[in-house]
Amino acid sequence: MIDSMNVDLFDFELPEHLIAQTPLAERTASRLLALNKETGDIAHRTFTDLADYMNPGDVLVLNNTRVLPARLMGIKGDTGAKIELLLLKQLEGDRWEVLAKPAKRMKVGSELWFGDNGHGEPLLRAFVEDEGDMGARTIRFQYEGIFQELLDRLGEMPLPPYIKERLEERERYQTVYAKHEGSAAAPTAGLHFTTDFLRQLEDKGVKIAYVTLHVGLGTFRPMSVDKVEEHEMHSEYYELDEHNASIINEAKSSGARIIAVGTTSSRTLETVAARFDGGPIEACSGWTDIFIFPGYKFKLLDALLTNFHLPKSTLVMLVSALAGRDAIMKAYHEAVREQYRFFSFGDAMFIY
């Protein structure tokens, strides 16, 4: 465990031009920085070289959440002022937790309009029912027809704020195995995979398991504390079914590695492991606010494929818990020096 847990310990200089603004034409064309967490050795490879690091029997755990076109641009019904909503979590029925911008204009009772039915009426109305912290609101939608169809028609992909370029193809912000809709952001480590490359890994004897974690508000909230331990994670919904639990159990009992694709898969695995006290896991679902930082002892996870994360973020802290802060900071500084592409559409890192 490191002596002091100041958030500044996880800061690093990142030139803005290294923030990837658009995805590569080929998903598997990214670079791969491989970090041996035991020795600290670093290798510079290409993404498809990941196959060289896989052993027969290893289990690759993928998060099969699907991103909602969750950004809605509309107006206030009374003033016509422009507003933006980011859907974060469906509460029940047509009530949602959202991030509102500008939040100060959206008081309880405000009516918001989205789209036009061709007769001067909105396709979708929303009413603000409750106000939360840092722009969070509880809203209730009112509409005719099927909500998902309206969302597909009116909504935009909720790209992170550091991406300024327009996304030409929506599916490029979905993994090829995305299945269960509900995320406010993509599990971006999975964006590197193609169906063909997954099949290639399976042909080598690698097993594939799936979990679901719907990425929520925590992804969009910066840390606002000085001490790491004082940060509170927002809860996110996860699911693991019986079939995939058995794949993971069999691998663990045989001594094979459990390799998470992305921090969301990591957090799901460790949440489930804690739920069953480190023993065999079972099908389960629930909400997790697990916060993994240096000092944490991993119960299920052996290795991790991830992207490069924001300075001073909870995700940098998670990878530091796995490989050690010093090794991660060294690897990140080398990634900057070698001009790796950072964040959602950036290059990959394999910690093994």
Side-chain angles (χ1 to χ4, degrees), residues 24 33 77 103 207 251 260 312 330 333:
L24 297 175
L33 186 150
K207 294 183 167 60
K312 300 200 288 189
K330 179 188 171 191
H333 287 135

Side-chain angles (χ1 to χ4, degrees), residues 153-302:
R153 181 172 168 184
L154 299 172
E156 299 175 12
M157 275 304 187
L159 296 180
Y162 49 76
I163 292 178
K164 313 297 184 191
E165 295 285 330
R166 181 176 175 79
L167 181 64
E168 296 300 328
E169 185 188 346
R170 267 192 189 187
E171 283 303 303
R172 218 35 199 83
Y173 194 59
Q174 304 278 16
T175 62
V176 296
Y177 46 82
K179 186 176 181 183
H180 301 293
E181 282 199 315
S183 263
T188 53
L191 295 178
H192 302 283
F193 288 94
T194 60
T195 305
D196 285 345
F197 185 57
L198 285 170
R199 192 177 300 118
Q200 181 185 330
L201 294 177
E202 287 184 291
D203 289 344
K204 186 173 179 175
V206 176
K207 294 183 167 60
I208 308 293
Y210 295 96
V211 296
T212 304
L213 182 127
H214 293 319
V215 189
L217 188 59
T219 295
F220 299 94
R221 280 191 167 163
M223 292 188 78
S224 56
V225 295
D226 295 323
K227 297 289 185 185
V228 171
E229 303 94 320
E230 295 171 0
H231 179 70
E232 290 185 15
M233 297 285 282
H234 202 80
S235 63
E236 296 167 315
Y237 181 76
Y238 71 90
E239 280 185 12
L240 172 69
D241 66 25
E242 189 174 339
H243 172 69
N244 288 291
S246 69
I247 293 173
I248 293 165
N249 283 332
E250 285 170 20
K252 208 65 185 172
S253 63
S254 70
R257 293 183 303 173
I258 308 298
I259 302 168
V261 173
T263 55
T264 60
S265 298
S266 305
R267 294 177 62 244
T268 307
L269 287 168
E270 292 302 304
T271 295
V272 172
R275 184 166 175 166
F276 295 102
D277 295 323
I281 60 174
E282 299 173 17
C284 58
S285 62
W287 296 86
T288 181
D289 59 359
I290 190 171
F291 179 21
I292 296 173
F293 55 88
Y296 178 86
K297 302 298 182 195
F298 286 87
K299 301 170 184 67
L300 261 181
L301 191 71
D302 297 302

